[in-house]
Amino acid sequence: MRTDLRLVRYFVATAEDLHFRRAADRLGIAQPALSRAIQALETELGVALFIRSNRNVQITPAGRAFLGRAYEILSLMERATEEVRSAHDGRIGSLRIGYTDFAIAGPLPTLLKDFQERQPQITLKPQHGVTLTQMHRLAEGKLDIGFVTGPVSKDGYDQHPVQSERFVCVCADSHPFAERDAICLADLADEDFVHGNSTDWQHFYDYLIPLCRRAGFVPRIVQEAFNTAGILGLVSCGMGVTVLTEDVCSALAPGLVVVPIEDVTERLITSAIWRRDHVVGPTRHFVDYLQALPAPQHPT
Amino acid sequence: MRTDLRLVRYFVATAEDLHFRRAADRLGIAQPALSRAIQALETELGVALFIRSNRNVQITPAGRAFLGRAYEILSLMERATEEVRSAHDGRIGSLRIGYTDFAIAGPLPTLLKDFQERQPQITLKPQHGVTLTQMHRLAEGKLDIGFVTGPVSKDGYDQHPVQSERFVCVCADSHPFAERDAICLADLADEDFVHGNSTDWQHFYDYLIPLCRRAGFVPRIVQEAFNTAGILGLVSCGMGVTVLTEDVCSALAPGLVVVPIEDVTERLITSAIWRRDHVVGPTRHFVDYLQALPAPQHPT
DNA sequence: TGCGCATGATGCCGTTTCGGTATCAAAATT
DNA sequence: AATTTTGATACCGAAACGGCATCATGCGCA
């Protein structure tokens, strides 16, 4: 038998009253039960906590030492109980948020800042990851909310669109396209492309490849880069052109030009996504926050 | 049912393993018992601590919040258990020591200092009190060790002599006795006496009165004072003479003279005294310390 | 001095809690 | 499709807890 909190509570009451019957009354038990419980505690600790007579009860020095700690333990247990309930309510705790290059270039930073001001007790933990990585981490319970290239069809998950971007062409300022107001997608048929690798960027390719096929070509990827910064770096060196989204290109480095693609009306959707069975604590608060936002601008 | 430490321990093991059967093995119980215990804890708290599947177990945000506190609670309980045992051993705690005017004028301060150096974890709490007061406080358990005018015959108490003092006469330097090398006790027969009140000083009178009777007189107390300082103050004003002990008079204020009483060989004994049923913790250490001391000097 | 009272301890018993074995349910793996 | 893995549930016996009755002891009072 290990000392448990019931015995600690009984001990505290007895130490406060120094009278077994009165302490038992206070605890709502019979005096003999209290007598036995204190004896059990003394046996467990191997130390006499009280000196008893039929006239009075005195606490021993060891009992006095234990009393201070007993108060601390009971207080800490109460605090822990309160905090676990607060964490469940979502009033405290951490929120692990994944994001893609597209997400971080869009309204997400503003959203996070706003949410943080509303819920200062919640610690935000942003983590970069391509859509594929984020989906794995959601499944493993290592991520609470993902911001991914969507929409994603997956059972057990809910999502909410937060961003909708046009596709644009990006080329070096020395490229012929740089002089044009706009191009058509078919104009890219013979161009060398720079993009991300096919595994990490598979969700982006799920948009791009069908569009190009419909325009009659398969994009010729001549260079791969790790992320958008890498892609743009290669493009500015004249290695090729690329197709990205308008938000990613809103603040371009010198030497690069954004050219609209006038015959593509499809948009890249970035959605917040979470596991349906994980909407507790801070996650619930964040989901509620997202769903209270106006829908992303999406003109027809 | 209130959350107890057994459930906290089970929770910690489960959170560490994230696998019910392995955690149960670790705890030395069957997996179903652990499953039920965690469910009971979740019911008690009203919060899900884990997400279960037949393939894996994940901890919820609330569970993570609770885990930190669980470690603290278990650690605090261990520390409390260790400390109560140390207090019983006497390695920590406090020691309430009573002392009379005679005791504090003798070797007691030196003893306390020495003991304190040997047991720095024990807090000494000295409390002045006449013998009668100290005996009450010992009986009430509000004092651990008394230093009283002894010997005391009282059941349930043990004592150890620490001090043995000759009786001396103290008078103002203008008094005729001041010119003498020594007096006899009978020389005090017609003198006005200054002393403590008969209640507080009853143990001292238990020595003095029989001695005076044997010398053929009853001392004429004309003035009472609260303590030795008060007595000596009145004597130096010429209100009368007094009989005290040599240690009390070892550092006299100007205007007072100590005159030996050559025909009195009896000595005032100051003894350490404690309740036999209270020799635990720091008290035990102090008693052991005292009993290891050489006996007080007591020439024949 | 004897009796009554107060109070913690102990005995006996019923109720509740805890833990074990066996089994079920569901998902993943082979 | 069969097997394996793993947490949940059912049934049962053991252990723990608490209540009532009673005992033991010391103190206070007449």
Side-chain angles (χ1 to χ4, degrees), chain A residues 95-99 104 108 112 123-129 143 145:
Chain A
L95 189 59
R96 298 159 301 178
I97 297 176
Y99 61 89
I104 205 66
L108 181 58
L112 292 183
T123 304
L124 301 178
K125 297 186 175 178
Q127 308 170 13
H128 177 265
L143 193 63
I145 304 267

Side-chain angles (χ1 to χ4, degrees), chain B residues 30 41 109 115 155 198 200 209 221 225 241 266 277 279 292:
Chain B
L41 179 58
F115 179 75
D155 243 11
S198 58
D200 287 349
I209 303 296
I221 315 289
V241 300
E266 285 85 347
D277 66 355
V279 190

Side-chain angles (χ1 to χ4, degrees), chain B residues 142-254:
Chain B
K142 292 179 181 173
L143 192 64
D144 300 311
I145 304 267
F147 280 80
V148 299
T149 303
V152 176
S153 294
K154 194 153 191 193
D155 243 11
Y157 289 78
D158 285 329
Q159 58 196 316
H160 183 90
V162 297
Q163 193 174 346
S164 171
E165 297 173 89
R166 283 186 231 258
F167 291 95
V168 294
C169 173
V170 189
C171 60
D173 58 9
S174 55
H175 193 277
F177 288 167
E179 312 296 336
R180 301 181 50 182
D181 290 334
I183 61 168
C184 295
L185 191 58
D187 295 336
L188 298 174
D190 296 319
E191 298 292 331
D192 291 341
F193 265 75
V194 181
H195 232 286
N197 77 64
S198 58
T199 302
D200 287 349
W201 284 71
Q202 70 179 257
H203 292 91
F204 186 81
Y205 283 158
D206 286 346
Y207 278 87
L208 184 62
I209 303 296
L211 289 176
C212 296
R213 283 187 192 267
R214 203 181 66 198
F217 71 100
V218 175
R220 186 166 70 230
I221 315 289
V222 300
Q223 288 281 346
E224 291 186 342
F226 174 63
N227 56 17
T228 54
I231 292 165
L232 293 174
L234 293 177
V235 168
S236 73
C237 295
M239 307 294 276
V241 300
T242 195
V243 176
L244 291 172
T245 59
E246 57 193 337
D247 286 353
V248 171
C249 307
S250 59
L252 271 193

Side-chain angles (χ1 to χ4, degrees), chain A residues 129-150:
Chain A
V130 296
T131 296
L132 192 67
T133 302
Q134 287 185 55
M135 294 309 298
H136 283 152
R137 295 180 71 78
L138 282 166
E140 288 169 358
K142 292 179 181 175
L143 193 63
D144 299 311
I145 304 267
F147 280 80
V148 300
T149 302

Side-chain angles (χ1 to χ4, degrees), chain A residues 138-190:
Chain A
L138 282 166
E140 288 169 358
K142 292 179 181 175
L143 193 63
D144 299 311
I145 304 267
F147 280 80
V148 300
T149 302
V152 176
S153 292
K154 195 158 188 183
D155 244 10
Y157 290 79
D158 286 330
Q159 57 196 318
H160 184 89
V162 298
Q163 193 173 349
S164 170
E165 297 171 89
R166 281 187 233 254
F167 292 95
V168 295
C169 172
V170 189
C171 61
D173 57 10
S174 55
H175 193 278
F177 288 167
E179 312 295 337
R180 299 171 60 172
D181 291 332
I183 60 169
C184 295
L185 191 58
D187 295 337
L188 298 174
D190 297 320

Side-chain angles (χ1 to χ4, degrees), chain B residues 20 31-32 35-36 39 52 54:
Chain B
F20 274 69
Q31 174 268 320
S35 183
R36 281 186 299 246
Q39 279 180 20
R52 290 107 144 150
N54 64 334

